[in-house]
Amino acid sequence: MHSPAIPELAQEDPQIAGLIEDEARRQYEKIRMIASENYVSAAVLEASGTVLTNKYSEGYAGRRYYEGQQFIDPIETIAIDRAKELFGVAHANVQPYSGSPANLAVYLAFLKPGDTFMGAGLAAGGHLTHGSPVSVTGKWFTPVAYGVSRETGIVDMNEVRDLALKERPKLIFCGGTAIPRTIDFPAFAEIAKEIGAILVSDIAHIAGLVAGGAHPSPVGYADVITTTTHKTLRGPRGAMILTTEEYATPIDKAVFPGLQGGPHNHTTAGIAVALKEAAQPEFRTYAATVVANAKALAAGLTERGWDLVSGGTDNHLILADLTPKGVTGKVAAKALDAAGIELNYNSVPFDPRKPFDPSGIRLGAAAITTRGLKPEQMGQVAQWMDDTVQAAAKGDTDEYARIAGQVRELMAQYPMPGWA
């Protein structure tokens, strides 16, 4: 059953309570490898489900527009202080509702409509808010997209520099949503300095790895850092913006009153708890194991003939082109879900297929590491994945149930926060 238990909800609204229980069981029984998902601790769950959701708190600590902030201000201040200490930054804003509003606040702080900026193209692993034509960032501003090398699948920093010198963007984004390799923050910083641009590092996917010392930090290189608080950081669904003192005021004004009203105080409390957890020595072990698991899984897939973008991974994330396997990413993702393995279909660089039916899949090792899986289990996971994809290519749907049963047996050996 869901833990903490939800008896009041079960009595008041059994339909919703039943769906929550079903979802908790689903998370418990499956190998969850959507790269943007994880499991929060029971403590984060408890903090996020408190009476703090009842309180409205427009403004910032000591400067609110409503009364009754005697306990809210300390909670937000604690979250800010923990973020500053964990990442080694001068200023932190913990109010953004999610990663996309956090990135939008950056645009509002530093650009005017029509201004030019640079970011990784969507097909090269960038996020929608890095200038995709379907995003407001691609409609209101002038995006210039950099990509990856066709030969290596990795960003060519010489090409980024040439493009920056030609287009002279006011702002450069580095980072993204499907980048399996280490981000070269020093090289991006050098380019931004050369053209007088503000460098923004979007570390939504790797924030936990940065905090745990398993990925280089952008601090000292990027002027502004945006991140979600879930994914590898293992917090609730929220976001933060980390900056130098120089940019603290424009960022704060952009978040509130520029984009948002009152922060979600229950989420802020959950973020504070997650940041305390991320500062513990065992979190560094967790971050290192995430990378070790991802590398072991990448090796297992490569041994079975999978075509991995860039040839592997340096972080938690793997991007695979399934064209050689004879299935599309969408077909494979749905087959794997039926087999108890959860991930998402995803475009790959230079993908000839459309985003809603692309050639690839994206997966990550953050959540399975939280459950306790180790590199020695990754060979079996790779085998299940390969068996499932081969079955999908043959139309052998009976194979899915067999693999799903074996997956349930494996995951039953590992406890899950949120399920008892």
Side-chain angles (χ1 to χ4, degrees), residues 1-211:
M1 62 180 291
H2 188 278
S3 179
I6 49 174
E8 296 295 329
L9 178 59
Q11 181 174 344
E12 179 72 22
D13 194 334
Q15 183 179 17
I16 293 298
L19 289 170
I20 291 172
E21 293 285 0
D22 289 345
E23 172 61 14
R25 178 180 291 277
R26 187 196 68 82
Q27 292 185 18
Y28 174 69
E29 292 181 344
K30 290 203 172 188
I31 292 176
R32 298 178 58 238
M33 292 195 294
I34 290 180
S36 50
E37 293 183 353
N38 211 326
Y39 298 93
V40 302
S41 69
V44 171
L45 278 176
E46 289 183 357
S48 302
T50 60
V51 295
L52 296 175
T53 195
N54 298 338
K55 185 63 188 140
Y56 221 92
S57 305
E58 281 190 352
Y60 293 100
R63 296 177 289 123
R64 305 287 189 182
Y65 287 82
Y66 300 132
E67 299 308 313
Q69 311 295 338
Q70 294 92 333
F71 308 109
I72 300 300
D73 280 3
I75 289 172
E76 185 170 317
T77 300
I78 288 169
I80 289 169
D81 289 344
R82 288 176 179 175
K84 289 161 60 177
E85 183 174 359
L86 182 64
F87 288 97
V89 295
H91 181 77
N93 188 307
V94 299
Q95 291 194 6
Y97 298 149
S98 69
S100 292
N103 285 345
L104 290 177
V106 173
Y107 291 100
L108 181 60
F110 302 117
L111 300 185
K112 291 182 172 57
D115 281 350
T116 299
F117 73 96
M118 280 180 63
L122 196 63
H127 191 255
L128 286 168
T129 56
H130 297 173
S132 170
V134 300
S135 164
V136 67
T137 62
K139 297 178 184 295
W140 288 359
F141 306 101
T142 304
V144 176
Y146 59 85
V148 297
S149 165
R150 188 179 289 272
E151 290 73 28
T152 66
I154 298 173
V155 174
D156 184 330
M157 296 308 302
N158 290 324
E159 291 185 2
V160 173
R161 179 177 181 271
D162 291 342
L163 192 60
L165 289 171
K166 176 184 176 183
E167 301 292 343
R168 296 281 169 173
K170 291 186 176 180
L171 182 151
I172 299 175
F173 267 93
C174 62
T177 191
I179 299 175
R181 294 298 184 176
T182 301
I183 301 167
D184 192 345
F185 299 126
F188 274 106
E190 188 175 326
I191 293 168
K193 183 178 181 181
E194 185 174 2
I195 64 169
I198 292 173
L199 179 62
V200 183
S201 178
D202 184 339
I203 62 169
H205 268 271
I206 58 171
L209 304 183
V210 170

Side-chain angles (χ1 to χ4, degrees), residues 33 293-309 311-313 316-322 324-325 336 341 343 361-364 377-390:
M33 292 195 294
N293 278 341
K295 286 180 176 291
L297 181 55
L301 294 171
T302 300
E303 290 171 4
R304 291 161 176 81
W306 285 49
D307 181 11
L308 306 186
V309 173
T313 183
H316 69 300
L317 187 147
I318 298 169
L319 192 61
D321 184 349
L322 293 179
K325 290 291 182 178
L336 286 160
I341 300 171
L343 43 72
I361 56 174
R362 184 190 69 158
L363 55 144
Q377 278 95 39
M378 294 304 104
Q380 178 62 76
V381 174
Q383 188 63 58
W384 282 330
M385 292 178 66
D386 192 50
D387 288 347
T388 303
V389 168
Q390 289 192 51

Side-chain angles (χ1 to χ4, degrees), residues 264-355:
H264 296 167
N265 296 314
H266 55 299
T267 300
T268 303
I271 291 171
V273 174
L275 292 170
K276 181 178 181 179
E277 293 172 350
Q280 306 310 309
E282 52 266 32
F283 192 87
R284 298 185 72 85
T285 302
Y286 164 74
T289 307
V290 169
V291 176
N293 278 341
K295 286 180 176 291
L297 181 55
L301 294 171
T302 300
E303 290 171 4
R304 291 161 176 81
W306 285 49
D307 181 11
L308 306 186
V309 173
S310 79
T313 183
D314 296 326
N315 51 40
H316 69 300
L317 187 147
I318 298 169
L319 192 61
D321 184 349
L322 293 179
T323 303
K325 290 291 182 178
V327 296
T328 67
K330 191 171 188 177
V331 167
K334 291 187 177 298
L336 286 160
D337 189 43
I341 300 171
E342 177 195 19
L343 43 72
N344 67 279
Y345 56 87
N346 209 94
S347 294
V348 296
F350 311 102
D351 199 333
R353 302 183 64 85
K354 294 182 178 180

